Amino acid sequence: FDGKYIETSGVSKDYSIVSIGCDYTATKAYTASTNGYANIDGKELTDGILATKALSTDWHAFHHSITDAQGKMSVTVDLGEIRNDLTHFYAHFDNRMIAGIGSPAGIVISVSNDGRTFRELARPKLILDSTNSCFKYETEPVTARYVKMSCGGMGGAFVFCSEFLIGVKNGTSVDE
């Protein structure tokens, strides 16, 4: 997946990522391990770095036993302000069933202006290869400050996610 679906710089010729460095809340990561993924800093999902090594510190290790109030593994990104130009949504996952790491199932992207009331935006389809999976969802501009991704597991104890990125079509950003 290295650059195949999103350039690792976080920017493509068509859109710019606006979520890099943004704060987020997520269901607690599984850290009861001596592997690298146990030593995270809470910035993994919006740092713009696609993980390339299994079990490294670039992954947020969601575990099927640690869920939100709806029984899902989830992450909510706070963009810091209400934006009316959100068009691109992307997430990158590990897919190593031999290690108990499965791809997510039933992914839902939801948006909110207040962080409390969310409306469903999409249920994106995963793109899979032998060791990774991702989704890239594009839409007409939507308005939100908070963007939530929630999912279940497709097998295995874990879902490892290295990025959940939100972007805007170039030439339409409120920052331009």
Side-chain angles (χ1 to χ4, degrees):
F1 276 81
D2 298 324
K4 185 173 181 182
Y5 297 104
I6 188 170
E7 294 175 11
T8 55
S9 65
V11 178
S12 85
K13 64 181 179 174
D14 298 326
Y15 62 97
S16 299
I17 303 301
V18 296
S19 58
I20 291 179
C22 287
D23 291 332
Y24 63 84
T25 55
T27 50
K28 187 177 184 309
Y30 184 86
T31 57
S33 173
T34 58
N35 289 308
Y37 67 83
N39 300 311
I40 60 172
D41 61 10
K43 304 292 183 193
E44 291 74 22
L45 296 176
T46 59
D47 64 7
I49 300 169
L50 295 180
T52 58
K53 295 181 182 174
L55 308 178
S56 73
T57 58
D58 295 325
W59 299 103
H60 182 99
F62 292 101
H63 192 269
H64 70 85
S65 68
I66 307 169
T67 60
D68 62 18
Q70 290 74 43
K72 301 290 184 182
M73 296 171 272
S74 64
V75 56
T76 302
V77 176
D78 180 354
L79 297 171
E81 65 182 340
I82 295 174
R83 299 186 64 113
N84 63 4
D85 56 352
L86 306 176
T87 56
H88 290 73
F89 304 85
Y90 174 89
H92 174 242
F93 304 96
D94 200 359
N95 183 31
R96 298 174 199 272
M97 282 304 296
I98 195 166
I101 303 167
S103 291
I107 299 169
V108 176
I109 301 172
S110 304
V111 294
S112 171
N113 288 340
D114 63 12
R116 292 183 300 279
T117 305
F118 285 83
R119 74 172 176 84
E120 184 176 315
L121 177 64
R123 292 178 179 258
K125 182 180 175 188
L126 276 178
I127 302 166
L128 298 161
D129 75 10
S130 62
T131 59
N132 292 271
S133 60
C134 76
F135 71 77
K136 180 179 177 184
Y137 176 73
E138 298 177 27
T139 185
E140 292 299 315
V142 297
T143 299
R145 173 177 174 167
Y146 301 90
V147 181
K148 181 177 183 177
M149 175 185 62
S150 60
C151 65
M154 192 186 290
F158 297 96
V159 171
F160 275 29
C161 184
S162 76
E163 290 301 309
F164 177 43
L165 301 173
I166 298 117
V168 299
K169 187 173 181 178
N170 284 339
T172 63
S173 173
V174 295
D175 296 333
E176 293 180 7

